[in-house]
Structure formats: structure tokens, C-alpha cells
Amino acid sequence: MRALVVAGVVVAATTAAAAPARADILSLSAEIDAGGMYGAGTGGAQKANDFFGKNAPEGAYGVLITGELFGLLDAYIQHHQFTDGSNLSTWTQFGFGLHFEVPLGDTQQQKLGKGPYLDAGLGAFFGVGTGQQVMPPLDNAQVSDKAFLAQGTVGFGTHLSKIVDVGVSLPVSWGYFFKNGVAANDVSNHYQGAEGELLGYVRFNLHLL
């Protein structure tokens, strides 16, 4: 939770420091990322069997699709796979949140849609995890864990052009989890957990309006 508080402070400072760098009414982005993950159970009856700490390997890669309104309000679809070369787990989540960007380049770079930036965001998500490769279409029988999560993200990147960005991000989340296949009110299968990732990414942007 401390990491989420820190992320919230960063977001608040970002809001006070600058307006969003891009004034798009509507934009879409697709991100390919890879890096590492660490997770741990923090409480609850199933703390020792938490998804990110016990069931998911630490190597991470995946995709993130974002729709952004007014350069501020975001909707997310994210799919990550976690592997150590032999074992594999997946996590898919859907959410909404706020995103802010502070440009670090000079005025000319900003006009060209280029230059370095800092960004930060906060979001609320619903996610599902599996202990193996997903066999499309994903159905409930493949799901091992479900969760409602709060996530804070900070990052640094560079706009190579108006279309392509590269950078690194640090998303940190805390969630309330449920083991699948049991009654929702059976707290013996509930737990709380935290997870963080360090990711390098390539992002492709489509400015619609």
C-alpha cells in the first residue's frame, strides 16, 4: 500500500505541475512490454497460495491496449504472461483510470511530438489469472484466481515520433483475490496480495481526434 500512496503523490504533483502534454480528444495506443515481476500475499486465508507470489514465475511479457479521452481518462485491457522458461501463468485485467504526462523536452521537440517525458497513472481493475497457457477462448474452467485491484504506475520514456514511444514503467498494485470455483462468500478462499513489475516497452499511438 505504501507504493500506491507514493504513486498517488506523484500523480498529484504531476497534475499541479503541468497539463497533459497531448491535447487529443480521443487516442488509442498499443504497447508491447517485457521485464520482471515480484508478488506476495499480504493477508487472508489463502495468503500462502497467492497468485503472483506462488503461482506465477517472475519473467513477464505482454501487451497493453489503452483508449484515452481528453489526454486524461483511460480505459485499459492488459494481458501478461509470466514464465521462467518452463512454467507459464497468465494474468488478464480490465480497468479504468487517470493518466498524466509531463514533457521534459524543449518546445521544438514538443511541437514535433518528440522528446523525453515522465508519466504517472492510477487505475482500478478486475483481473483473472490462469496457471497455464490460455487455450482460446478463455473460459471459467481455465481461471485459477480472480481479483479487484488498485494500481499505481510511474514511468519514463521518449517520444521517437508522434506514433512511437519507448520507455520503462513501474506498475505496482494491491488487490483482493478469490480462488476460482468456490462460493464468493467463502472467505477461506480469499486473500490479499501485492505485485510490482519493472517493464521496458515500445508503444504505438493512434491519434483519432
Side-chain angles (χ1 to χ4, degrees):
M1 288 301 290
R2 290 182 180 177
L4 289 178
V5 172
V6 171
V9 171
V10 171
V11 170
T14 302
T15 306
R22 294 181 178 177
D24 295 335
I25 296 175
L26 177 63
S27 63
L28 295 175
S29 67
E31 174 180 309
I32 302 170
D33 53 44
M37 178 276 294
Y38 178 78
T42 60
Q46 292 294 322
K47 173 183 175 180
N49 299 311
D50 66 294
F51 179 83
F52 288 110
K54 299 299 182 182
N55 297 332
E58 294 179 352
Y61 63 95
V63 296
L64 171 64
I65 307 297
T66 303
E68 187 166 83
L69 188 64
F70 302 123
L72 178 68
L73 305 173
D74 287 9
Y76 307 98
I77 301 174
Q78 184 178 50
H79 176 74
H80 267 168
Q81 303 204 143
F82 304 100
T83 185
D84 56 10
S86 56
N87 300 312
L88 188 145
S89 297
T90 75
W91 186 261
T92 304
Q93 62 184 24
F94 309 86
F96 297 89
L98 300 175
H99 171 254
F100 306 93
E101 182 181 305
V102 178
L104 301 178
D106 58 35
T107 302
Q108 183 62 24
Q109 286 179 311
Q110 294 179 42
K111 287 181 179 179
L112 295 173
K114 297 182 178 182
Y117 61 87
L118 293 172
D119 63 1
L122 289 174
F125 293 83
F126 173 74
V128 297
T130 71
Q132 68 283 319
Q133 176 66 60
V134 172
M135 301 298 292
L138 176 64
D139 58 29
N140 193 57
Q142 299 182 66
V143 173
S144 62
D145 298 72
K146 301 176 181 178
F148 293 97
L149 307 104
Q151 180 173 291
T153 302
V154 293
F156 171 80
T158 298
H159 299 303
L160 299 181
S161 69
K162 291 184 178 180
I163 298 175
V164 182
D165 304 339
V166 296
V168 294
S169 65
L170 176 63
V172 177
S173 64
W174 180 90
Y176 195 98
F177 292 75
F178 309 80
K179 288 295 181 181
N180 199 36
V182 297
N185 60 353
D186 184 357
V187 296
S188 67
N189 284 284
H190 296 188
Y191 65 96
Q192 301 88 52
E195 183 253 0
E197 299 173 31
L198 179 61
L199 303 169
Y201 64 81
V202 178
R203 182 182 298 149
F204 302 92
N205 305 295
L206 180 61
H207 307 283
L208 300 176
L209 297 173

mmCIF file of all heavy atoms in Angstrom, residues 39-81:
data_model
loop_
_atom_site.group_PDB
_atom_site.id
_atom_site.type_symbol
_atom_site.label_atom_id
_atom_site.label_comp_id
_atom_site.label_asym_id
_atom_site.label_seq_id
_atom_site.Cartn_x
_atom_site.Cartn_y
_atom_site.Cartn_z
ATOM 1 N N GLY A 39 5.752 -10.592 -6.583
ATOM 2 C CA GLY A 39 4.487 -10.501 -5.873
ATOM 3 C C GLY A 39 4.521 -11.267 -4.572
ATOM 4 O O GLY A 39 5.385 -12.135 -4.355
ATOM 5 N N ALA A 40 3.575 -10.968 -3.691
ATOM 6 C CA ALA A 40 3.496 -11.649 -2.397
ATOM 7 C C ALA A 40 2.100 -11.506 -1.828
ATOM 8 O O ALA A 40 1.433 -10.487 -2.040
ATOM 9 C CB ALA A 40 4.516 -11.076 -1.418
ATOM 10 N N GLY A 41 1.654 -12.524 -1.119
ATOM 11 C CA GLY A 41 0.416 -12.414 -0.376
ATOM 12 C C GLY A 41 0.605 -11.534 0.839
ATOM 13 O O GLY A 41 1.662 -11.563 1.474
ATOM 14 N N THR A 42 -0.408 -10.740 1.149
ATOM 15 C CA THR A 42 -0.293 -9.827 2.284
ATOM 16 C C THR A 42 -1.284 -10.124 3.401
ATOM 17 O O THR A 42 -1.187 -9.548 4.481
ATOM 18 C CB THR A 42 -0.490 -8.368 1.829
ATOM 19 O OG1 THR A 42 -1.792 -8.220 1.243
ATOM 20 C CG2 THR A 42 0.569 -7.977 0.806
ATOM 21 N N GLY A 43 -2.252 -11.009 3.147
ATOM 22 C CA GLY A 43 -3.215 -11.334 4.179
ATOM 23 C C GLY A 43 -4.275 -12.278 3.663
ATOM 24 O O GLY A 43 -4.351 -12.566 2.469
ATOM 25 N N GLY A 44 -5.111 -12.793 4.562
ATOM 26 C CA GLY A 44 -6.201 -13.661 4.164
ATOM 27 C C GLY A 44 -5.859 -15.132 4.279
ATOM 28 O O GLY A 44 -4.686 -15.523 4.404
ATOM 29 N N ALA A 45 -6.896 -15.966 4.205
ATOM 30 C CA ALA A 45 -6.743 -17.404 4.412
ATOM 31 C C ALA A 45 -5.839 -18.062 3.379
ATOM 32 O O ALA A 45 -5.147 -19.041 3.684
ATOM 33 C CB ALA A 45 -8.113 -18.078 4.420
ATOM 34 N N GLN A 46 -5.831 -17.550 2.156
ATOM 35 C CA GLN A 46 -5.027 -18.144 1.085
ATOM 36 C C GLN A 46 -3.744 -17.347 0.807
ATOM 37 O O GLN A 46 -3.186 -17.434 -0.289
ATOM 38 C CB GLN A 46 -5.867 -18.244 -0.185
ATOM 39 C CG GLN A 46 -6.993 -19.243 -0.111
ATOM 40 C CD GLN A 46 -6.485 -20.667 0.010
ATOM 41 O OE1 GLN A 46 -5.501 -21.031 -0.595
ATOM 42 N NE2 GLN A 46 -7.172 -21.478 0.817
ATOM 43 N N LYS A 47 -3.280 -16.602 1.795
ATOM 44 C CA LYS A 47 -2.065 -15.794 1.636
ATOM 45 C C LYS A 47 -0.893 -16.626 1.135
ATOM 46 O O LYS A 47 -0.098 -16.181 0.297
ATOM 47 C CB LYS A 47 -1.721 -15.144 2.977
ATOM 48 C CG LYS A 47 -0.393 -14.411 3.007
ATOM 49 C CD LYS A 47 -0.113 -13.856 4.406
ATOM 50 C CE LYS A 47 1.266 -13.215 4.482
ATOM 51 N NZ LYS A 47 1.534 -12.668 5.844
ATOM 52 N N ALA A 48 -0.760 -17.865 1.632
ATOM 53 C CA ALA A 48 0.376 -18.705 1.258
ATOM 54 C C ALA A 48 0.255 -19.244 -0.162
ATOM 55 O O ALA A 48 1.228 -19.795 -0.690
ATOM 56 C CB ALA A 48 0.511 -19.864 2.238
ATOM 57 N N ASN A 49 -0.914 -19.096 -0.787
ATOM 58 C CA ASN A 49 -1.140 -19.607 -2.141
ATOM 59 C C ASN A 49 -1.485 -18.483 -3.109
ATOM 60 O O ASN A 49 -2.213 -18.700 -4.075
ATOM 61 C CB ASN A 49 -2.273 -20.643 -2.123
ATOM 62 C CG ASN A 49 -1.955 -21.835 -1.249
ATOM 63 O OD1 ASN A 49 -0.888 -22.429 -1.355
ATOM 64 N ND2 ASN A 49 -2.887 -22.175 -0.363
ATOM 65 N N ASP A 50 -0.949 -17.287 -2.844
ATOM 66 C CA ASP A 50 -1.301 -16.147 -3.685
ATOM 67 C C ASP A 50 -0.806 -16.349 -5.117
ATOM 68 O O ASP A 50 0.197 -17.016 -5.363
ATOM 69 C CB ASP A 50 -0.703 -14.859 -3.113
ATOM 70 C CG ASP A 50 0.809 -14.849 -3.157
ATOM 71 O OD1 ASP A 50 1.423 -15.670 -2.436
ATOM 72 O OD2 ASP A 50 1.379 -14.048 -3.916
ATOM 73 N N PHE A 51 -1.503 -15.746 -6.062
ATOM 74 C CA PHE A 51 -1.214 -15.963 -7.476
ATOM 75 C C PHE A 51 0.163 -15.450 -7.870
ATOM 76 O O PHE A 51 0.978 -16.170 -8.447
ATOM 77 C CB PHE A 51 -2.281 -15.293 -8.346
ATOM 78 C CG PHE A 51 -2.042 -15.459 -9.817
ATOM 79 C CD1 PHE A 51 -2.436 -16.608 -10.475
ATOM 80 C CD2 PHE A 51 -1.397 -14.468 -10.548
ATOM 81 C CE1 PHE A 51 -2.197 -16.777 -11.828
ATOM 82 C CE2 PHE A 51 -1.152 -14.618 -11.901
ATOM 83 C CZ PHE A 51 -1.555 -15.785 -12.549
ATOM 84 N N PHE A 52 0.452 -14.182 -7.590
ATOM 85 C CA PHE A 52 1.680 -13.577 -8.084
ATOM 86 C C PHE A 52 2.921 -14.051 -7.328
ATOM 87 O O PHE A 52 4.008 -14.125 -7.893
ATOM 88 C CB PHE A 52 1.579 -12.054 -8.026
ATOM 89 C CG PHE A 52 0.651 -11.484 -9.050
ATOM 90 C CD1 PHE A 52 -0.569 -10.926 -8.686
ATOM 91 C CD2 PHE A 52 0.975 -11.508 -10.395
ATOM 92 C CE1 PHE A 52 -1.423 -10.396 -9.633
ATOM 93 C CE2 PHE A 52 0.124 -10.988 -11.358
ATOM 94 C CZ PHE A 52 -1.080 -10.428 -10.969
ATOM 95 N N GLY A 53 2.773 -14.371 -6.044
ATOM 96 C CA GLY A 53 3.931 -14.800 -5.283
ATOM 97 C C GLY A 53 4.250 -16.276 -5.407
ATOM 98 O O GLY A 53 5.415 -16.668 -5.391
ATOM 99 N N LYS A 54 3.211 -17.123 -5.559
ATOM 100 C CA LYS A 54 3.417 -18.573 -5.532
ATOM 101 C C LYS A 54 3.165 -19.256 -6.877
ATOM 102 O O LYS A 54 3.810 -20.248 -7.198
ATOM 103 C CB LYS A 54 2.506 -19.206 -4.468
ATOM 104 C CG LYS A 54 2.760 -18.717 -3.057
ATOM 105 C CD LYS A 54 4.177 -19.034 -2.606
ATOM 106 C CE LYS A 54 4.399 -18.563 -1.162
ATOM 107 N NZ LYS A 54 5.783 -18.815 -0.705
ATOM 108 N N ASN A 55 2.230 -18.750 -7.663
ATOM 109 C CA ASN A 55 1.828 -19.461 -8.872
ATOM 110 C C ASN A 55 2.432 -18.901 -10.154
ATOM 111 O O ASN A 55 2.455 -19.584 -11.178
ATOM 112 C CB ASN A 55 0.303 -19.454 -9.013
ATOM 113 C CG ASN A 55 -0.374 -20.197 -7.875
ATOM 114 O OD1 ASN A 55 0.203 -21.109 -7.299
ATOM 115 N ND2 ASN A 55 -1.593 -19.806 -7.545
ATOM 116 N N ALA A 56 2.907 -17.663 -10.133
ATOM 117 C CA ALA A 56 3.392 -17.024 -11.355
ATOM 118 C C ALA A 56 4.909 -16.864 -11.324
ATOM 119 O O ALA A 56 5.450 -16.305 -10.367
ATOM 120 C CB ALA A 56 2.730 -15.656 -11.529
ATOM 121 N N PRO A 57 5.635 -17.348 -12.354
ATOM 122 C CA PRO A 57 7.075 -17.092 -12.455
ATOM 123 C C PRO A 57 7.347 -15.600 -12.600
ATOM 124 O O PRO A 57 6.447 -14.803 -12.864
ATOM 125 C CB PRO A 57 7.475 -17.858 -13.721
ATOM 126 C CG PRO A 57 6.388 -18.875 -13.925
ATOM 127 C CD PRO A 57 5.146 -18.217 -13.428
ATOM 128 N N GLU A 58 8.618 -15.201 -12.476
ATOM 129 C CA GLU A 58 8.945 -13.784 -12.360
ATOM 130 C C GLU A 58 9.271 -13.095 -13.682
ATOM 131 O O GLU A 58 9.332 -11.865 -13.734
ATOM 132 C CB GLU A 58 10.095 -13.602 -11.369
ATOM 133 C CG GLU A 58 9.689 -13.988 -9.954
ATOM 134 C CD GLU A 58 10.815 -13.834 -8.956
ATOM 135 O OE1 GLU A 58 11.962 -13.575 -9.386
ATOM 136 O OE2 GLU A 58 10.554 -13.969 -7.746
ATOM 137 N N GLY A 59 9.522 -13.833 -14.750
ATOM 138 C CA GLY A 59 9.721 -13.203 -16.053
ATOM 139 C C GLY A 59 8.384 -12.799 -16.649
ATOM 140 O O GLY A 59 7.430 -13.578 -16.641
ATOM 141 N N ALA A 60 8.276 -11.561 -17.151
ATOM 142 C CA ALA A 60 6.982 -11.032 -17.604
ATOM 143 C C ALA A 60 7.092 -10.455 -19.009
ATOM 144 O O ALA A 60 8.086 -9.823 -19.359
ATOM 145 C CB ALA A 60 6.488 -9.956 -16.642
ATOM 146 N N TYR A 61 6.050 -10.691 -19.802
ATOM 147 C CA TYR A 61 5.934 -10.025 -21.097
ATOM 148 C C TYR A 61 4.464 -9.991 -21.472
ATOM 149 O O TYR A 61 3.658 -10.810 -20.998
ATOM 150 C CB TYR A 61 6.757 -10.740 -22.177
ATOM 151 C CG TYR A 61 6.311 -12.160 -22.466
ATOM 152 C CD1 TYR A 61 5.420 -12.447 -23.508
ATOM 153 C CD2 TYR A 61 6.793 -13.227 -21.705
ATOM 154 C CE1 TYR A 61 5.023 -13.745 -23.770
ATOM 155 C CE2 TYR A 61 6.397 -14.528 -21.966
ATOM 156 C CZ TYR A 61 5.519 -14.788 -23.008
ATOM 157 O OH TYR A 61 5.127 -16.078 -23.260
ATOM 158 N N GLY A 62 4.090 -9.020 -22.317
ATOM 159 C CA GLY A 62 2.689 -8.940 -22.681
ATOM 160 C C GLY A 62 2.347 -7.714 -23.482
ATOM 161 O O GLY A 62 3.221 -7.063 -24.071
ATOM 162 N N VAL A 63 1.054 -7.384 -23.486
ATOM 163 C CA VAL A 63 0.544 -6.259 -24.263
ATOM 164 C C VAL A 63 -0.430 -5.461 -23.407
ATOM 165 O O VAL A 63 -1.053 -5.987 -22.481
ATOM 166 C CB VAL A 63 -0.180 -6.727 -25.547
ATOM 167 C CG1 VAL A 63 0.788 -7.422 -26.485
ATOM 168 C CG2 VAL A 63 -1.352 -7.647 -25.214
ATOM 169 N N LEU A 64 -0.529 -4.179 -23.720
ATOM 170 C CA LEU A 64 -1.458 -3.270 -23.054
ATOM 171 C C LEU A 64 -2.126 -2.409 -24.115
ATOM 172 O O LEU A 64 -1.441 -1.732 -24.888
ATOM 173 C CB LEU A 64 -0.721 -2.384 -22.054
ATOM 174 C CG LEU A 64 -1.516 -1.233 -21.422
ATOM 175 C CD1 LEU A 64 -2.659 -1.766 -20.574
ATOM 176 C CD2 LEU A 64 -0.601 -0.335 -20.591
ATOM 177 N N ILE A 65 -3.446 -2.442 -24.170
ATOM 178 C CA ILE A 65 -4.230 -1.609 -25.078
ATOM 179 C C ILE A 65 -4.902 -0.522 -24.245
ATOM 180 O O ILE A 65 -5.565 -0.821 -23.246
ATOM 181 C CB ILE A 65 -5.301 -2.414 -25.826
ATOM 182 C CG1 ILE A 65 -4.676 -3.633 -26.515
ATOM 183 C CG2 ILE A 65 -6.026 -1.525 -26.833
ATOM 184 C CD1 ILE A 65 -3.667 -3.299 -27.570
ATOM 185 N N THR A 66 -4.737 0.734 -24.655
ATOM 186 C CA THR A 66 -5.286 1.861 -23.894
ATOM 187 C C THR A 66 -6.089 2.769 -24.812
ATOM 188 O O THR A 66 -5.625 3.142 -25.890
ATOM 189 C CB THR A 66 -4.169 2.689 -23.247
ATOM 190 O OG1 THR A 66 -3.375 1.849 -22.414
ATOM 191 C CG2 THR A 66 -4.750 3.823 -22.412
ATOM 192 N N GLY A 67 -7.273 3.121 -24.386
ATOM 193 C CA GLY A 67 -8.051 4.179 -25.017
ATOM 194 C C GLY A 67 -8.082 5.369 -24.084
ATOM 195 O O GLY A 67 -8.382 5.218 -22.893
ATOM 196 N N GLU A 68 -7.738 6.557 -24.604
ATOM 197 C CA GLU A 68 -7.620 7.732 -23.742
ATOM 198 C C GLU A 68 -8.511 8.859 -24.244
ATOM 199 O O GLU A 68 -8.515 9.178 -25.434
ATOM 200 C CB GLU A 68 -6.168 8.202 -23.683
ATOM 201 C CG GLU A 68 -5.935 9.317 -22.664
ATOM 202 C CD GLU A 68 -4.461 9.525 -22.377
ATOM 203 O OE1 GLU A 68 -3.810 10.243 -23.163
ATOM 204 O OE2 GLU A 68 -3.956 8.934 -21.403
ATOM 205 N N LEU A 69 -9.246 9.474 -23.319
ATOM 206 C CA LEU A 69 -10.163 10.564 -23.622
ATOM 207 C C LEU A 69 -9.641 11.850 -22.987
ATOM 208 O O LEU A 69 -9.327 11.866 -21.792
ATOM 209 C CB LEU A 69 -11.557 10.229 -23.087
ATOM 210 C CG LEU A 69 -12.714 11.155 -23.464
ATOM 211 C CD1 LEU A 69 -12.955 11.140 -24.971
ATOM 212 C CD2 LEU A 69 -13.985 10.738 -22.719
ATOM 213 N N PHE A 70 -9.518 12.902 -23.792
ATOM 214 C CA PHE A 70 -9.064 14.224 -23.331
ATOM 215 C C PHE A 70 -7.660 14.184 -22.713
ATOM 216 O O PHE A 70 -7.317 15.016 -21.873
ATOM 217 C CB PHE A 70 -10.048 14.826 -22.334
ATOM 218 C CG PHE A 70 -11.436 14.975 -22.876
ATOM 219 C CD1 PHE A 70 -12.506 14.370 -22.229
ATOM 220 C CD2 PHE A 70 -11.681 15.703 -24.033
ATOM 221 C CE1 PHE A 70 -13.794 14.493 -22.723
ATOM 222 C CE2 PHE A 70 -12.966 15.833 -24.532
ATOM 223 C CZ PHE A 70 -14.030 15.236 -23.888
ATOM 224 N N GLY A 71 -6.829 13.208 -23.129
ATOM 225 C CA GLY A 71 -5.480 13.127 -22.605
ATOM 226 C C GLY A 71 -5.408 12.853 -21.117
ATOM 227 O O GLY A 71 -4.387 13.119 -20.485
ATOM 228 N N LEU A 72 -6.467 12.279 -20.531
ATOM 229 C CA LEU A 72 -6.546 12.149 -19.080
ATOM 230 C C LEU A 72 -7.230 10.865 -18.617
ATOM 231 O O LEU A 72 -6.707 10.148 -17.766
ATOM 232 C CB LEU A 72 -7.290 13.362 -18.505
ATOM 233 C CG LEU A 72 -7.521 13.395 -17.000
ATOM 234 C CD1 LEU A 72 -6.198 13.556 -16.268
ATOM 235 C CD2 LEU A 72 -8.465 14.547 -16.634
ATOM 236 N N LEU A 73 -8.412 10.552 -19.191
ATOM 237 C CA LEU A 73 -9.226 9.430 -18.747
ATOM 238 C C LEU A 73 -8.937 8.214 -19.612
ATOM 239 O O LEU A 73 -9.081 8.262 -20.835
ATOM 240 C CB LEU A 73 -10.715 9.788 -18.833
ATOM 241 C CG LEU A 73 -11.135 11.060 -18.087
ATOM 242 C CD1 LEU A 73 -12.590 11.384 -18.387
ATOM 243 C CD2 LEU A 73 -10.919 10.886 -16.588
ATOM 244 N N ASP A 74 -8.541 7.125 -18.987
ATOM 245 C CA ASP A 74 -8.101 5.943 -19.719
ATOM 246 C C ASP A 74 -8.970 4.733 -19.439
ATOM 247 O O ASP A 74 -9.476 4.549 -18.326
ATOM 248 C CB ASP A 74 -6.660 5.591 -19.325
ATOM 249 C CG ASP A 74 -5.637 6.551 -19.900
ATOM 250 O OD1 ASP A 74 -6.046 7.578 -20.463
ATOM 251 O OD2 ASP A 74 -4.438 6.260 -19.775
ATOM 252 N N ALA A 75 -9.102 3.875 -20.467
ATOM 253 C CA ALA A 75 -9.665 2.532 -20.330
ATOM 254 C C ALA A 75 -8.587 1.555 -20.782
ATOM 255 O O ALA A 75 -7.913 1.784 -21.800
ATOM 256 C CB ALA A 75 -10.919 2.378 -21.175
ATOM 257 N N TYR A 76 -8.399 0.457 -20.026
ATOM 258 C CA TYR A 76 -7.279 -0.444 -20.265
ATOM 259 C C TYR A 76 -7.732 -1.880 -20.491
ATOM 260 O O TYR A 76 -8.662 -2.362 -19.845
ATOM 261 C CB TYR A 76 -6.333 -0.479 -19.051
ATOM 262 C CG TYR A 76 -5.832 0.849 -18.568
ATOM 263 C CD1 TYR A 76 -6.431 1.493 -17.485
ATOM 264 C CD2 TYR A 76 -4.735 1.463 -19.165
ATOM 265 C CE1 TYR A 76 -5.947 2.706 -17.009
ATOM 266 C CE2 TYR A 76 -4.243 2.673 -18.701
ATOM 267 C CZ TYR A 76 -4.857 3.291 -17.626
ATOM 268 O OH TYR A 76 -4.386 4.488 -17.155
ATOM 269 N N ILE A 77 -7.020 -2.565 -21.381
ATOM 270 C CA ILE A 77 -7.074 -4.021 -21.494
ATOM 271 C C ILE A 77 -5.625 -4.493 -21.496
ATOM 272 O O ILE A 77 -4.832 -4.078 -22.341
ATOM 273 C CB ILE A 77 -7.776 -4.480 -22.781
ATOM 274 C CG1 ILE A 77 -9.199 -3.952 -22.859
ATOM 275 C CG2 ILE A 77 -7.771 -6.018 -22.864
ATOM 276 C CD1 ILE A 77 -9.888 -4.248 -24.181
ATOM 277 N N GLN A 78 -5.279 -5.355 -20.553
ATOM 278 C CA GLN A 78 -3.895 -5.793 -20.419
ATOM 279 C C GLN A 78 -3.825 -7.310 -20.288
ATOM 280 O O GLN A 78 -4.618 -7.922 -19.567
ATOM 281 C CB GLN A 78 -3.255 -5.150 -19.188
ATOM 282 C CG GLN A 78 -1.772 -5.467 -19.022
ATOM 283 C CD GLN A 78 -1.179 -4.765 -17.815
ATOM 284 O OE1 GLN A 78 -1.727 -4.836 -16.713
ATOM 285 N NE2 GLN A 78 -0.065 -4.090 -18.011
ATOM 286 N N HIS A 79 -2.879 -7.898 -21.003
ATOM 287 C CA HIS A 79 -2.635 -9.338 -20.884
ATOM 288 C C HIS A 79 -1.148 -9.555 -20.685
ATOM 289 O O HIS A 79 -0.338 -9.108 -21.502
ATOM 290 C CB HIS A 79 -3.106 -10.084 -22.138
ATOM 291 C CG HIS A 79 -2.797 -11.553 -22.095
ATOM 292 N ND1 HIS A 79 -3.502 -12.423 -21.296
ATOM 293 C CD2 HIS A 79 -1.844 -12.296 -22.725
ATOM 294 C CE1 HIS A 79 -3.017 -13.645 -21.456
ATOM 295 N NE2 HIS A 79 -2.004 -13.590 -22.308
ATOM 296 N N HIS A 80 -0.781 -10.226 -19.607
ATOM 297 C CA HIS A 80 0.612 -10.536 -19.318
ATOM 298 C C HIS A 80 0.789 -12.030 -19.141
ATOM 299 O O HIS A 80 -0.081 -12.715 -18.583
ATOM 300 C CB HIS A 80 1.088 -9.817 -18.060
ATOM 301 C CG HIS A 80 1.722 -8.503 -18.348
ATOM 302 N ND1 HIS A 80 2.006 -7.573 -17.374
ATOM 303 C CD2 HIS A 80 2.164 -7.947 -19.499
ATOM 304 C CE1 HIS A 80 2.567 -6.512 -17.911
ATOM 305 N NE2 HIS A 80 2.671 -6.712 -19.205
ATOM 306 N N GLN A 81 1.935 -12.514 -19.607
ATOM 307 C CA GLN A 81 2.339 -13.894 -19.387
ATOM 308 C C GLN A 81 3.608 -13.881 -18.536
ATOM 309 O O GLN A 81 4.481 -13.037 -18.725
ATOM 310 C CB GLN A 81 2.561 -14.612 -20.715
ATOM 311 C CG GLN A 81 1.329 -14.570 -21.592
ATOM 312 C CD GLN A 81 1.259 -15.682 -22.610
ATOM 313 O OE1 GLN A 81 0.181 -16.194 -22.885
ATOM 314 N NE2 GLN A 81 2.384 -16.078 -23.160
#
